[in-house]
Amino acid sequence: ATIEEAALIMYQNKVGGLPVISDVGALVGIITATDILKTFIKVMGLIGGKTRLTLEVDNKVGVMADITKIFADKGINIDSFITCKQNNNRYELVVRLDELDASDEIKNLLESRGYKIVHSVNIG
C-alpha cells in the first residue's frame, strides 16, 4: 500500500500504526503515525524552509495558469500547490515557494489580479 493508503486506513480505524507485511506474508515492520508525519514533512521540504501563501480563488478554468505565470514572470519557483475546495464554489489554494519570503511586490501583484491572500507564513 502507499503511504496515503496507510494514513487513510489508520485515520479511519483510529489506530496509531499498522503492520508491514512482505509479499509472502511475513511481518517486516510497523508503520506508525510518526512515520507518516516524518514523510509529510520530508515530502513538503519543510526542513529547508518554505514560504506558504494561502489564496482564495474562484473555481474557474485558468486560475492556476494565471497564478503560475505571475510567479514565473518574477523568477520565483513554486514548490507545490494544494487546493482545498470551500463550500462557496471557491477554493483555497496553498502555494509553497522555495523562497523564504514572498515579497510585498508578488503579494500586491496577486491581489491586483483578484486573488485574496488569506494567510502568509515562513516555515522552517
Side-chain angles (χ1 to χ4, degrees):
T2 65
I3 191 129
E4 296 95 326
E5 291 170 302
L8 183 58
I9 291 167
M10 291 167 64
Y11 171 77
Q12 289 173 330
N13 293 282
K14 297 179 175 84
V15 296
L18 293 172
V20 178
I21 309 295
S22 73
D23 291 337
V24 295
L27 178 66
V28 294
I30 296 175
I31 186 169
T32 66
T34 300
D35 296 321
I36 297 206
L37 182 60
K38 184 172 149 183
T39 300
F40 176 80
I41 289 168
K42 182 179 178 183
V43 165
M44 291 197 167
L46 298 179
I47 303 247
K50 301 286 178 198
T51 293
R52 180 186 196 265
L53 293 175
T54 305
L55 311 171
E56 188 176 294
V57 301
D58 289 325
N59 181 14
K60 66 180 182 181
V61 173
V63 167
M64 290 186 62
D66 188 41
I67 290 171
T68 57
K69 184 169 180 359
I70 292 169
F71 285 102
D73 288 348
K74 292 298 175 186
I76 297 173
N77 186 43
I78 295 172
D79 186 60
S80 67
F81 273 114
I82 300 172
T83 58
C84 306
K85 189 169 186 173
Q86 304 301 301
N87 292 330
N88 56 0
N89 201 32
R90 292 178 60 86
Y91 277 83
E92 277 192 357
L93 181 64
V94 177
V95 183
R96 278 196 316 277
L97 309 170
D98 283 336
E99 311 228 343
L100 275 179
D101 191 24
S103 70
D104 287 338
E105 178 185 13
I106 198 79
K107 291 177 184 177
N108 291 337
L109 277 170
L110 290 163
E111 289 183 335
S112 73
R113 299 289 287 267
Y115 304 116
K116 180 181 175 187
I117 298 172
V118 294
H119 187 253
S120 175
V121 66
N122 294 334
I123 301 171

